[in-house]
Amino acid sequence: MKIGIIGGSGVYNPDMMGNVKEVKVETPYGMVLPLMGEAEGHEVVFLPRHGTGHSVPPHRINYQANIWGMRALGVEAIIATAAVGSLNPEMAPGDSVFVDQFIDFTKNRRQTFFDGRENGVAHLDFTEPYCPALRKTMAAAAGELRARPGAEFAFHEKGVYICTEGPRFETPAEIRAYALLGADVVGMTSYPEVALAREAGICYATIAMVTNLAAGMAGGRLTHEEVLEVMAKNNSTVWAMLQKTLEKMERVYAAEACTCQEAGRDFTKVFGHIFGENQ
Ligand code: HPA
């Protein structure tokens, strides 16, 4: 099976991959330069979302090119990572959340492949926005890692991710409002990545790593350095979870039924000829 990993803030080096080579994928939205290799018996495509050296801010990420590139390479499932702030006192810095819902508060992003004219129009179901089979696999992986002697981390099997436009952090008033809306964690990148993956018929789920309490909740100021510092501290946990999830894909994920690929039927139809050229 071919599996994509989209690395968020602080997740840049796929040391667990063997036979790594850089590939170039032309897409109608621009070029993508992922790394391809192998891990745990799978072909893996790794893409650091913010580019090398974290040079692309959340609102300028070419989400369409990234997801198109994954699809053109034949990726069937994407595991993404994301640094998030927590609005939920039960989700502490260092905890992982396998989010199951999102609230979209972005403002200015291209969020669909179906933008009319020759690309058609589509209104997909988002009752289960993150692939339930992948989330279950991640939870099984995390559970197994936590059972190891000396393992010290907590994870949550669900949570609501509110996606803001950024690049600034939120005001405490915004965070109070988002908490009233039911958000557990806040970040700037899950949307529209999750929606585009569904359109393309790719299973998609996220390991959200809590790096901080959201603005106003801890009293102090918030910095990007603090986010990166906590990510660095938990880097090995995130990679261990990714690796264990890959290891469990055959048994857990394959045994679950999800409808993510079915949702991509129209996409395959409309873009089939272009994929044909890329594959
Ligand atoms: N807000 C938005 N994005 C984030 C945060 C936050 O508090 N922490 C990490 N990414």
Side-chain angles (χ1 to χ4, degrees):
M1 183 172 185
K2 206 178 256 183
I3 298 167
I5 296 176
I6 298 184
S9 296
V11 179
Y12 309 120
N13 298 311
D15 289 338
M16 67 169 187
M17 275 163 65
N19 286 335
V20 179
K21 59 175 196 286
E22 195 176 273
V23 292
K24 252 189 206 167
V25 194
E26 294 272 11
T27 82
Y29 307 96
M31 181 95 83
V32 191
L33 296 166
L35 297 175
M36 283 189 71
E38 296 158 9
E40 304 301 324
H42 301 284
E43 286 182 271
V44 178
V45 180
F46 176 76
L47 199 54
R49 186 188 286 123
H50 295 279
T52 36
H54 202 104
S55 55
V56 188
H59 62 291
R60 306 244 355 233
I61 290 167
N62 195 339
Y63 297 98
Q64 287 169 306
N66 288 352
I67 297 297
W68 185 289
M70 286 282 185
R71 182 69 165 76
L73 289 169
V75 165
E76 291 171 73
I78 294 173
I79 308 167
T81 76
V84 294
S86 172
L87 293 78
N88 180 338
E90 284 173 20
M91 298 176 179
D95 289 7
S96 303
V97 188
F98 308 132
V99 290
D100 66 322
Q101 289 286 322
F102 68 76
I103 301 174
D104 170 28
F105 259 73
T106 63
K107 296 189 170 89
N108 193 19
R109 302 184 184 187
R110 290 173 191 272
Q111 52 178 307
T112 180
F113 291 116
F114 293 97
D115 56 0
R117 297 180 302 274
E118 72 276 15
N119 291 352
V121 174
H123 302 284
L124 297 187
D125 173 66
F126 269 81
T127 305
E128 278 190 300
Y130 298 87
C131 173
L134 261 187
R135 289 183 41 250
K136 196 161 177 184
T137 315
M138 288 171 172
E144 205 169 299
L145 288 175
R146 202 180 46 190
R148 286 181 177 172
E152 259 183 52
F153 66 92
F155 66 91
H156 308 267
E157 293 188 26
K158 50 202 232 169
V160 179
Y161 180 120
I162 195 156
C163 193
T164 64
E165 181 68 10
R168 65 167 175 83
F169 288 119
E170 301 71 36
T171 65
E174 286 172 324
I175 291 301
R176 285 195 298 273
Y178 296 158
L180 285 177
L181 292 178
D184 294 304
V185 295
V186 57
M188 304 175 191
T189 54
S190 196
Y191 197 85
E193 202 169 82
V194 55
L196 291 164
R198 177 63 56 80
E199 283 189 354
I202 305 174
C203 294
Y204 178 98
T206 297
I207 300 174
M209 167 62 67
V210 177
T211 53
N212 56 280
L213 295 178
M217 291 181 60
R221 296 162 74 87
L222 215 57
T223 64
H224 185 52
E225 286 66 36
E226 169 187 348
V227 168
L228 292 181
E229 223 169 84
V230 178
M231 277 313 287
K233 215 167 95 193
N234 291 284
N235 193 271
S236 57
T237 304
V238 173
W239 279 110
M241 251 186 281
L242 287 167
Q243 190 163 2
K244 199 77 183 159
T245 302
L246 291 181
E247 188 191 307
K248 293 203 156 298
M249 286 301 279
E250 234 54 275
R251 266 168 301 143
V252 184
Y253 168 85
E256 292 288 316
C258 70
T259 53
C260 307
Q261 300 194 0
E262 215 175 281
R265 231 181 356 225
D266 285 346
F267 185 75
T268 313
K269 231 171 12 200
V270 175
F271 295 91
H273 59 289
I274 303 176
F275 281 132
E277 284 162 22
N278 272 336
Q279 264 165 3

PDB file of all heavy atoms in Angstrom, residues 3-27:
ATOM      1  N   ILE A   3       1.407   5.003   1.159  1.00  0.00           N
ATOM      2  CA  ILE A   3       0.898   5.857   2.231  1.00  0.00           C
ATOM      3  C   ILE A   3       1.620   7.196   2.220  1.00  0.00           C
ATOM      4  O   ILE A   3       2.844   7.255   2.062  1.00  0.00           O
ATOM      5  CB  ILE A   3       1.095   5.164   3.598  1.00  0.00           C
ATOM      6  CG1 ILE A   3       0.290   3.850   3.602  1.00  0.00           C
ATOM      7  CG2 ILE A   3       0.646   6.059   4.744  1.00  0.00           C
ATOM      8  CD1 ILE A   3       0.621   2.932   4.726  1.00  0.00           C
ATOM      9  N   GLY A   4       0.862   8.264   2.351  1.00  0.00           N
ATOM     10  CA  GLY A   4       1.451   9.605   2.398  1.00  0.00           C
ATOM     11  C   GLY A   4       1.581  10.060   3.837  1.00  0.00           C
ATOM     12  O   GLY A   4       0.726   9.763   4.670  1.00  0.00           O
ATOM     13  N   ILE A   5       2.670  10.774   4.124  1.00  0.00           N
ATOM     14  CA  ILE A   5       2.800  11.432   5.426  1.00  0.00           C
ATOM     15  C   ILE A   5       2.993  12.914   5.135  1.00  0.00           C
ATOM     16  O   ILE A   5       3.908  13.285   4.379  1.00  0.00           O
ATOM     17  CB  ILE A   5       3.992  10.887   6.236  1.00  0.00           C
ATOM     18  CG1 ILE A   5       3.764   9.411   6.576  1.00  0.00           C
ATOM     19  CG2 ILE A   5       4.185  11.699   7.510  1.00  0.00           C
ATOM     20  CD1 ILE A   5       4.947   8.758   7.306  1.00  0.00           C
ATOM     21  N   ILE A   6       2.126  13.755   5.675  1.00  0.00           N
ATOM     22  CA  ILE A   6       2.325  15.195   5.544  1.00  0.00           C
ATOM     23  C   ILE A   6       2.804  15.692   6.897  1.00  0.00           C
ATOM     24  O   ILE A   6       2.084  15.607   7.898  1.00  0.00           O
ATOM     25  CB  ILE A   6       1.026  15.920   5.101  1.00  0.00           C
ATOM     26  CG1 ILE A   6       0.601  15.410   3.712  1.00  0.00           C
ATOM     27  CG2 ILE A   6       1.250  17.432   5.070  1.00  0.00           C
ATOM     28  CD1 ILE A   6      -0.619  16.109   3.114  1.00  0.00           C
ATOM     29  N   GLY A   7       4.042  16.148   6.933  1.00  0.00           N
ATOM     30  CA  GLY A   7       4.656  16.571   8.192  1.00  0.00           C
ATOM     31  C   GLY A   7       4.359  18.043   8.439  1.00  0.00           C
ATOM     32  O   GLY A   7       4.592  18.886   7.587  1.00  0.00           O
ATOM     33  N   GLY A   8       3.817  18.336   9.622  1.00  0.00           N
ATOM     34  CA  GLY A   8       3.560  19.723   9.987  1.00  0.00           C
ATOM     35  C   GLY A   8       4.764  20.339  10.680  1.00  0.00           C
ATOM     36  O   GLY A   8       5.877  19.811  10.585  1.00  0.00           O
ATOM     37  N   SER A   9       4.523  21.421  11.419  1.00  0.00           N
ATOM     38  CA  SER A   9       5.593  22.114  12.145  1.00  0.00           C
ATOM     39  C   SER A   9       6.417  21.123  12.953  1.00  0.00           C
ATOM     40  O   SER A   9       5.868  20.313  13.695  1.00  0.00           O
ATOM     41  CB  SER A   9       4.995  23.139  13.118  1.00  0.00           C
ATOM     42  OG  SER A   9       4.322  24.131  12.409  1.00  0.00           O
ATOM     43  N   GLY A  10       7.730  21.178  12.794  1.00  0.00           N
ATOM     44  CA  GLY A  10       8.623  20.360  13.609  1.00  0.00           C
ATOM     45  C   GLY A  10       8.768  18.925  13.152  1.00  0.00           C
ATOM     46  O   GLY A  10       9.489  18.150  13.763  1.00  0.00           O
ATOM     47  N   VAL A  11       8.095  18.550  12.066  1.00  0.00           N
ATOM     48  CA  VAL A  11       8.196  17.163  11.574  1.00  0.00           C
ATOM     49  C   VAL A  11       8.734  17.213  10.150  1.00  0.00           C
ATOM     50  O   VAL A  11       7.987  17.349   9.184  1.00  0.00           O
ATOM     51  CB  VAL A  11       6.823  16.443  11.641  1.00  0.00           C
ATOM     52  CG1 VAL A  11       6.899  15.020  11.113  1.00  0.00           C
ATOM     53  CG2 VAL A  11       6.319  16.423  13.085  1.00  0.00           C
ATOM     54  N   TYR A  12      10.053  17.194  10.049  1.00  0.00           N
ATOM     55  CA  TYR A  12      10.683  17.454   8.755  1.00  0.00           C
ATOM     56  C   TYR A  12      11.521  16.304   8.210  1.00  0.00           C
ATOM     57  O   TYR A  12      11.722  16.212   7.015  1.00  0.00           O
ATOM     58  CB  TYR A  12      11.588  18.698   8.847  1.00  0.00           C
ATOM     59  CG  TYR A  12      10.912  19.915   9.451  1.00  0.00           C
ATOM     60  CD1 TYR A  12      11.408  20.501  10.614  1.00  0.00           C
ATOM     61  CD2 TYR A  12       9.784  20.475   8.858  1.00  0.00           C
ATOM     62  CE1 TYR A  12      10.795  21.621  11.167  1.00  0.00           C
ATOM     63  CE2 TYR A  12       9.163  21.591   9.406  1.00  0.00           C
ATOM     64  CZ  TYR A  12       9.680  22.161  10.558  1.00  0.00           C
ATOM     65  OH  TYR A  12       9.069  23.248  11.110  1.00  0.00           O
ATOM     66  N   ASN A  13      12.065  15.463   9.108  1.00  0.00           N
ATOM     67  CA  ASN A  13      13.046  14.471   8.646  1.00  0.00           C
ATOM     68  C   ASN A  13      12.589  13.035   8.844  1.00  0.00           C
ATOM     69  O   ASN A  13      12.565  12.541   9.961  1.00  0.00           O
ATOM     70  CB  ASN A  13      14.384  14.672   9.374  1.00  0.00           C
ATOM     71  CG  ASN A  13      14.955  16.028   9.074  1.00  0.00           C
ATOM     72  OD1 ASN A  13      15.032  16.435   7.913  1.00  0.00           O
ATOM     73  ND2 ASN A  13      15.318  16.741  10.128  1.00  0.00           N
ATOM     74  N   PRO A  14      12.233  12.371   7.743  1.00  0.00           N
ATOM     75  CA  PRO A  14      11.708  11.014   7.865  1.00  0.00           C
ATOM     76  C   PRO A  14      12.820   9.975   8.012  1.00  0.00           C
ATOM     77  O   PRO A  14      13.051   9.156   7.122  1.00  0.00           O
ATOM     78  CB  PRO A  14      10.949  10.826   6.557  1.00  0.00           C
ATOM     79  CG  PRO A  14      11.651  11.695   5.573  1.00  0.00           C
ATOM     80  CD  PRO A  14      12.263  12.827   6.332  1.00  0.00           C
ATOM     81  N   ASP A  15      13.494  10.000   9.175  1.00  0.00           N
ATOM     82  CA  ASP A  15      14.623   9.086   9.387  1.00  0.00           C
ATOM     83  C   ASP A  15      14.211   7.624   9.309  1.00  0.00           C
ATOM     84  O   ASP A  15      15.026   6.753   9.042  1.00  0.00           O
ATOM     85  CB  ASP A  15      15.248   9.335  10.773  1.00  0.00           C
ATOM     86  CG  ASP A  15      15.977  10.657  10.804  1.00  0.00           C
ATOM     87  OD1 ASP A  15      16.345  11.141   9.708  1.00  0.00           O
ATOM     88  OD2 ASP A  15      16.155  11.211  11.898  1.00  0.00           O
ATOM     89  N   MET A  16      12.938   7.351   9.574  1.00  0.00           N
ATOM     90  CA  MET A  16      12.499   5.952   9.589  1.00  0.00           C
ATOM     91  C   MET A  16      12.368   5.377   8.181  1.00  0.00           C
ATOM     92  O   MET A  16      12.157   4.177   8.032  1.00  0.00           O
ATOM     93  CB  MET A  16      11.149   5.850  10.296  1.00  0.00           C
ATOM     94  CG  MET A  16      10.035   6.535   9.533  1.00  0.00           C
ATOM     95  SD  MET A  16       8.457   6.112  10.253  1.00  0.00           S
ATOM     96  CE  MET A  16       7.331   6.837   9.088  1.00  0.00           C
ATOM     97  N   MET A  17      12.469   6.214   7.164  1.00  0.00           N
ATOM     98  CA  MET A  17      12.301   5.724   5.792  1.00  0.00           C
ATOM     99  C   MET A  17      13.617   5.244   5.204  1.00  0.00           C
ATOM    100  O   MET A  17      14.660   5.845   5.404  1.00  0.00           O
ATOM    101  CB  MET A  17      11.735   6.849   4.891  1.00  0.00           C
ATOM    102  CG  MET A  17      10.219   6.973   4.937  1.00  0.00           C
ATOM    103  SD  MET A  17       9.606   8.556   4.294  1.00  0.00           S
ATOM    104  CE  MET A  17      10.074   8.456   2.569  1.00  0.00           C
ATOM    105  N   GLY A  18      13.524   4.145   4.454  1.00  0.00           N
ATOM    106  CA  GLY A  18      14.701   3.661   3.740  1.00  0.00           C
ATOM    107  C   GLY A  18      14.574   3.942   2.254  1.00  0.00           C
ATOM    108  O   GLY A  18      13.486   4.281   1.776  1.00  0.00           O
ATOM    109  N   ASN A  19      15.669   3.827   1.520  1.00  0.00           N
ATOM    110  CA  ASN A  19      15.675   4.032   0.064  1.00  0.00           C
ATOM    111  C   ASN A  19      15.034   5.346  -0.356  1.00  0.00           C
ATOM    112  O   ASN A  19      14.199   5.391  -1.259  1.00  0.00           O
ATOM    113  CB  ASN A  19      14.920   2.901  -0.653  1.00  0.00           C
ATOM    114  CG  ASN A  19      15.736   1.625  -0.652  1.00  0.00           C
ATOM    115  OD1 ASN A  19      16.971   1.687  -0.564  1.00  0.00           O
ATOM    116  ND2 ASN A  19      15.063   0.491  -0.730  1.00  0.00           N
ATOM    117  N   VAL A  20      15.390   6.414   0.334  1.00  0.00           N
ATOM    118  CA  VAL A  20      14.715   7.697   0.100  1.00  0.00           C
ATOM    119  C   VAL A  20      15.239   8.382  -1.157  1.00  0.00           C
ATOM    120  O   VAL A  20      16.441   8.458  -1.389  1.00  0.00           O
ATOM    121  CB  VAL A  20      14.933   8.625   1.316  1.00  0.00           C
ATOM    122  CG1 VAL A  20      14.265   9.976   1.090  1.00  0.00           C
ATOM    123  CG2 VAL A  20      14.388   7.977   2.565  1.00  0.00           C
ATOM    124  N   LYS A  21      14.298   8.834  -1.973  1.00  0.00           N
ATOM    125  CA  LYS A  21      14.699   9.675  -3.114  1.00  0.00           C
ATOM    126  C   LYS A  21      13.700  10.816  -3.275  1.00  0.00           C
ATOM    127  O   LYS A  21      12.533  10.707  -2.907  1.00  0.00           O
ATOM    128  CB  LYS A  21      14.803   8.849  -4.398  1.00  0.00           C
ATOM    129  CG  LYS A  21      13.533   8.144  -4.828  1.00  0.00           C
ATOM    130  CD  LYS A  21      13.775   7.483  -6.182  1.00  0.00           C
ATOM    131  CE  LYS A  21      12.487   7.077  -6.875  1.00  0.00           C
ATOM    132  NZ  LYS A  21      11.779   5.932  -6.364  1.00  0.00           N
ATOM    133  N   GLU A  22      14.204  11.937  -3.801  1.00  0.00           N
ATOM    134  CA  GLU A  22      13.305  13.068  -4.027  1.00  0.00           C
ATOM    135  C   GLU A  22      12.646  12.896  -5.383  1.00  0.00           C
ATOM    136  O   GLU A  22      13.302  12.511  -6.340  1.00  0.00           O
ATOM    137  CB  GLU A  22      14.087  14.381  -3.979  1.00  0.00           C
ATOM    138  CG  GLU A  22      13.185  15.583  -3.842  1.00  0.00           C
ATOM    139  CD  GLU A  22      13.973  16.891  -3.706  1.00  0.00           C
ATOM    140  OE1 GLU A  22      14.336  17.236  -2.567  1.00  0.00           O
ATOM    141  OE2 GLU A  22      14.202  17.540  -4.738  1.00  0.00           O
ATOM    142  N   VAL A  23      11.361  13.140  -5.449  1.00  0.00           N
ATOM    143  CA  VAL A  23      10.684  13.064  -6.743  1.00  0.00           C
ATOM    144  C   VAL A  23      10.023  14.414  -7.040  1.00  0.00           C
ATOM    145  O   VAL A  23       9.790  15.218  -6.142  1.00  0.00           O
ATOM    146  CB  VAL A  23       9.613  11.945  -6.799  1.00  0.00           C
ATOM    147  CG1 VAL A  23      10.240  10.582  -6.751  1.00  0.00           C
ATOM    148  CG2 VAL A  23       8.602  12.080  -5.678  1.00  0.00           C
ATOM    149  N   LYS A  24       9.769  14.619  -8.329  1.00  0.00           N
ATOM    150  CA  LYS A  24       9.141  15.863  -8.762  1.00  0.00           C
ATOM    151  C   LYS A  24       7.807  15.514  -9.360  1.00  0.00           C
ATOM    152  O   LYS A  24       7.741  14.666 -10.244  1.00  0.00           O
ATOM    153  CB  LYS A  24       9.992  16.451  -9.898  1.00  0.00           C
ATOM    154  CG  LYS A  24      10.776  17.654  -9.542  1.00  0.00           C
ATOM    155  CD  LYS A  24      11.367  18.238 -10.815  1.00  0.00           C
ATOM    156  CE  LYS A  24      12.617  19.016 -10.451  1.00  0.00           C
ATOM    157  NZ  LYS A  24      13.431  19.383 -11.565  1.00  0.00           N
ATOM    158  N   VAL A  25       6.748  16.128  -8.913  1.00  0.00           N
ATOM    159  CA  VAL A  25       5.440  15.867  -9.514  1.00  0.00           C
ATOM    160  C   VAL A  25       4.880  17.180 -10.045  1.00  0.00           C
ATOM    161  O   VAL A  25       4.728  18.153  -9.294  1.00  0.00           O
ATOM    162  CB  VAL A  25       4.431  15.294  -8.493  1.00  0.00           C
ATOM    163  CG1 VAL A  25       3.207  14.726  -9.200  1.00  0.00           C
ATOM    164  CG2 VAL A  25       5.072  14.227  -7.637  1.00  0.00           C
ATOM    165  N   GLU A  26       4.607  17.203 -11.329  1.00  0.00           N
ATOM    166  CA  GLU A  26       3.927  18.362 -11.925  1.00  0.00           C
ATOM    167  C   GLU A  26       2.443  18.211 -11.660  1.00  0.00           C
ATOM    168  O   GLU A  26       1.878  17.140 -11.877  1.00  0.00           O
ATOM    169  CB  GLU A  26       4.112  18.340 -13.447  1.00  0.00           C
ATOM    170  CG  GLU A  26       5.532  18.537 -13.916  1.00  0.00           C
ATOM    171  CD  GLU A  26       5.880  19.998 -14.083  1.00  0.00           C
ATOM    172  OE1 GLU A  26       5.085  20.857 -13.641  1.00  0.00           O
ATOM    173  OE2 GLU A  26       6.949  20.268 -14.635  1.00  0.00           O
ATOM    174  N   THR A  27       1.805  19.263 -11.207  1.00  0.00           N
ATOM    175  CA  THR A  27       0.353  19.233 -11.050  1.00  0.00           C
ATOM    176  C   THR A  27      -0.200  20.492 -11.724  1.00  0.00           C
ATOM    177  O   THR A  27       0.552  21.425 -11.994  1.00  0.00           O
ATOM    178  CB  THR A  27      -0.072  19.240  -9.556  1.00  0.00           C
ATOM    179  OG1 THR A  27      -0.047  20.593  -9.078  1.00  0.00           O
ATOM    180  CG2 THR A  27       0.811  18.362  -8.694  1.00  0.00           C
TER     181      THR A  27
END
